[in-house]
C-alpha cells in the first residue's frame, strides 16, 4: 500500500517568535525530520499557508481585533494576526525542517476572500488545492499527518482525508495546538478519533 507523509504548515510564523506562534512548535521538528528520513513514504507533501497581504483572515484587513470572529462568505472566520504573507520570511519553512528534494509542495490560502485550513480545499469548499489529485495519481491510500496547528490546519486536513477515503493517521508527537480555546488539543483528538482518524504515538 502506498503511503504519504503530509507535513502541514511548519513555517516560521507558526514557530517560536513567529506572528502566530504555536506554543512548543519547534519541539516537533526533530520528530518530523526523523519520520521523513526513515524513508518509509512513497510521497512526502508539505503544505504552506500562503496568504496575500490583503487576506481577509487578517484582523487588520477588516478593522477587527485579533480573536474576534466575523462572517465571511456565510461562514465564521476567526480573526488572525497577519501571518504567512507570500514571499516573506514568516511564510518560509522553518530552517531546521528537512525538506526532501522530491517533496511536493501545496500552497493554500491564496484567495483574499477565503481561508483554507485544510490542505485539500478552502473553508468554503469552493476550490480543491490539487492535493487529492496528486495523492490519487500516485495511488496513495494511507496518509500520515504532522505539523501545525493541530486544532486548525492539521485537524481539517485529517477530516478531509477521511472524507476522501484515505486511511488517515495523525502523529500526536508530530503536532502542537495553537489552543485559542482551552482544551482545544484534547477536543481535537476526540473529534479526530470519532471520525475514524488513527492517532499514532
Ligand atoms: C493556521 C490559522 C490560520 C494553521 C493557518 O496552519 O493551523 N491557523 N492559518
Ligand atoms: Zn492562515
Amino acid at each position: 500500500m502506498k503511503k504519504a507523509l503530509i507535513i502541514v504548515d511548519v513555517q516560521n510564523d507558526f514557530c517560536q517568535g513567529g506572528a502566530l506562534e504555536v506554543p512548543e512548535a519547534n519541539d516537533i521538528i526533530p520528530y518530523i525530520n526523523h519520520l521523513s528520513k526513515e524513508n518509509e513514504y512513497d510521497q512526502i507533501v508539505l503544505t504552506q499557508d500562503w496568504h496575500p497581504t490583503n487576506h481577509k483572515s487578517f484582523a487588520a484587513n477588516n478593522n477587527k481585533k485579533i480573536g474576534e470572529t466575523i462572517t465571511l462568505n456565510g461562514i465564521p472566520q476567526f480573526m488572525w494576526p497577519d501571518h504567512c504573507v507570500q514571499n516573506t520570511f514568516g511564510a518560509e519553512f522553518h530552517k531546521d525542517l528537512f525538506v526532501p528534494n522530491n517533496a511536493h509542495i501545496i500552497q493554500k490560502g491564496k484567495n483574499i476572500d477565503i481561508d483554507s485550513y485544510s490542505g485539500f480545499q478552502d473553508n468554503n469548499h469552493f476550490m480543491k488545492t490539487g492535493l487529492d489529485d496528486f495523492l490519487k495519481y500516485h495511488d496513495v491510500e494511507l496518509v500520515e499527518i504532522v505539523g501545525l496547528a493541530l486544532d486548525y490546519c492539521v485537524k481539517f486536513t485529517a477530516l478531509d482525508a477521511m472524507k476522501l477515503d484515505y486511511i488517515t493517521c495523525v502523529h500526536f508527537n508530530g503536532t502542537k495546538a495553537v489552543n485559542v480555546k482551552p482544551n482545544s488539543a484534547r477536543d481535537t483528538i476526540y473529534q479526530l478519533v470519532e471520525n475514524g482518524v488513527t492517532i499514532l504515538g
Side-chain angles (χ1 to χ4, degrees), residues 8-9 14 20 49 51 80 83 108 115 117 148-149 152-153:
V8 176
D9 299 4
F14 297 120
L20 212 174
D49 214 31
H51 298 310
W80 300 107
H83 65 278
K108 62 183 179 65
D115 211 355
Y117 294 146
L148 305 166
Y152 285 92
C153 291

